[in-house]
């Protein structure tokens, strides 16, 4: 036997065949081994086309991509569907007929309007019926007078002969403005307003301009002792006047009507 024949005899030729159905390939030996059955060659299966379909990517309920086994059903639960079903249920309940043609939403609206109306009526009645006891007094019972005298200085005015004459137009005009100013401050006082009667400028004197004034209050006879010691005491009347003067504008802003707080004097008139 020649050398080529020996080599061909010793080498086992392998033939590769391809299955046309699933693409599986196998190898066979020309001489079947002990594992061959009925002379059929032993098949070594490889990956098939179906193996690539075992995992399928599908979009999830929230838009993300997830892997699912082939053929496995996917279940999605949408929150929007739940919300819509709740809204529909509420609408149905509100549209339920309570009595005849009256629906539930009508009853709720009526109760709300009724509550608002009751609150508004209560507020109006309280404002009308309520009376401040301090404002409820009989002015005709205030018969006992109580007077104070004093003076103050007007530093922005220059004294003239006309101011020394009480009947002159300049003196009367200035006196009217000052009397209005004093009356306004005492009438606006919460403590003294009800008792105030009159403010009068009696004269103007030299020294820049010094004005002499007189204040008159009236009080009920029943409470005169208490009022003299507290409300209509000299200290109370004086402090109200002085505080008003300190709260006024600066001398260069208030003009001729500016009153110097330091110059204020007051005494009880007997």
């Amino acid at each position: 036997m020649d050398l080529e024949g020996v080599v061909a005899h010793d080498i086992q030729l392998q033939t590769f065949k391809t299955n046309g159905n699933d693409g599986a390939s196998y190898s066979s030996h020309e001489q079947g081994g002990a594992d061959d059955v009925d002379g059929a060659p032993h098949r070594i299966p490889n990956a098939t086309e179906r193996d690539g379909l075992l995992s399928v990517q599908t979009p999830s309920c929230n838009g993300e991509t997830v892997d699912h086994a082939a053929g496995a059903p996917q279940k999605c639960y949408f929150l929007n569907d739940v919300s819509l079903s709740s809204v529909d249920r509420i609408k149905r309940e509100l549209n339920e007929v309570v009595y005849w043609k009256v629906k539930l939403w009508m009853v709720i609206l009526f109760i709300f309007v009724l509550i608002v109306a009751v609150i508004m009526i209560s507020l109006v009645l309280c404002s009308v019926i309520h009376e401040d006891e301090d404002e409820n007094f009989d002015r005709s019972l205030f018969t006992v007078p109580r007077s104070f005298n004093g003076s103050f200085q007007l530093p922005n005015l220059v004294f003239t002969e006309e101011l020394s004459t009480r009947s002159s137009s300049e003196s009367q005009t200035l006196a009217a403005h000052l009397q209005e100013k004093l009356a306004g401050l005492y009438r606006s006082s919460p403590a003294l307003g009800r008792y105030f009667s009159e403010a009068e400028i009696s004269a103007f004197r030299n020294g820049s301009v010094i004005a002499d004034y007189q204040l008159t209050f009236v009080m009920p006879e029943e409470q005169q002792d208490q009022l003299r010691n507290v409300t209509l005491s000299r200290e109370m009347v004086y402090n109200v006047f002085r505080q008003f003067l300190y709260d006024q504008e600066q001398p260069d802003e208030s003009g001729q009507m500016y009153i110097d707080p330091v110059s204020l004097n007051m005494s009880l008139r007997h």
Side-chain angles (χ1 to χ4, degrees):
M1 180 180 297
D2 56 5
L3 181 61
E4 294 180 356
V6 173
V7 173
H9 178 74
D10 293 338
I11 297 175
Q12 294 180 352
L13 299 178
Q14 294 180 350
T15 302
F16 296 91
K17 297 181 179 181
T18 303
N19 190 318
N21 294 330
D22 54 7
S25 62
Y26 64 92
S27 64
S28 62
H29 300 278
E30 288 183 352
Q31 294 180 353
D35 294 335
D36 293 342
V37 179
D38 297 333
H42 178 68
R43 302 177 63 185
I44 303 174
N46 293 328
T48 64
E49 294 178 356
R50 291 191 182 92
D51 294 338
L53 300 178
L54 292 178
S55 177
V56 180
Q57 292 185 344
T58 60
S60 63
C61 298
N62 57 2
E64 298 178 353
T65 302
V66 296
D67 293 336
H68 297 281
Q74 180 184 8
K75 295 183 180 180
C76 294
Y77 299 95
F78 296 96
L79 296 178
N80 291 337
D81 294 341
V82 177
S83 301
L84 290 176
S85 62
S86 300
V87 172
D88 292 338
R89 179 176 57 82
I90 295 174
K91 289 182 178 179
R92 287 196 302 270
E93 292 178 356
L94 291 176
N95 287 321
E96 289 182 357
V97 177
V98 178
Y99 175 75
W100 194 40
K101 296 182 179 182
V102 179
K103 297 182 179 181
L104 180 59
W105 68 267
M106 297 179 181
V107 176
I108 297 175
L109 180 61
F110 174 76
I111 294 174
F112 177 77
V113 173
L114 182 62
I115 293 174
V116 174
V118 170
I119 294 175
M120 296 299 294
I121 293 173
S122 300
L123 293 176
V124 172
L125 291 178
C126 289
S127 62
V128 172
I129 297 176
H130 178 71
E131 294 183 358
D132 190 354
E133 295 181 356
D134 293 337
E135 297 297 331
N136 187 16
F137 59 90
D138 188 357
R139 182 70 179 183
S140 62
L141 299 177
F142 292 17
T143 58
V144 180
R146 185 167 175 84
S147 301
F148 300 88
N149 291 337
S151 64
F152 52 78
Q153 188 175 16
L154 303 168
N156 292 347
L157 286 178
V158 177
F159 184 77
T160 62
E161 292 296 332
E162 290 187 358
L163 288 177
S164 63
T165 304
R166 188 68 178 87
S167 59
S168 66
S169 60
E170 184 179 353
S171 177
Q172 290 180 358
T173 301
L174 181 58
H177 287 310
L178 292 174
Q179 288 171 176
E180 183 179 356
K181 187 173 185 177
L182 298 182
L185 81 90
Y186 279 111
R187 287 198 180 102
S188 62
S189 171
L192 304 178
R194 71 180 63 185
Y195 306 109
F196 178 78
S197 177
E198 183 183 11
E200 181 183 359
I201 300 298
S202 57
F204 294 106
R205 295 182 286 117
N206 195 1
S208 291
V209 173
I210 298 176
D212 296 324
Y213 67 89
Q214 178 178 331
L215 302 175
T216 303
F217 297 85
V218 290
M219 53 187 174
E221 186 176 0
E222 296 179 355
Q223 303 176 4
Q224 59 178 314
D225 293 336
Q226 179 180 358
L227 291 173
R228 284 195 183 102
N229 296 328
V230 182
T231 306
L232 293 178
S233 64
R234 184 264 178 192
E235 290 76 14
M236 175 68 77
V237 178
Y238 174 80
N239 288 334
V240 170
F241 197 169
R242 185 179 62 174
Q243 185 62 45
F244 170 80
L245 296 181
Y246 278 113
D247 292 340
Q248 66 183 340
E249 298 176 350
Q250 296 300 320
D252 56 344
E253 298 177 356
S254 58
Q256 296 180 346
M257 298 298 294
Y258 176 76
I259 301 174
D260 185 6
V262 179
S263 66
L264 180 61
N265 294 314
M266 182 181 294
S267 60
L268 179 63
R269 180 181 180 184
H270 298 285

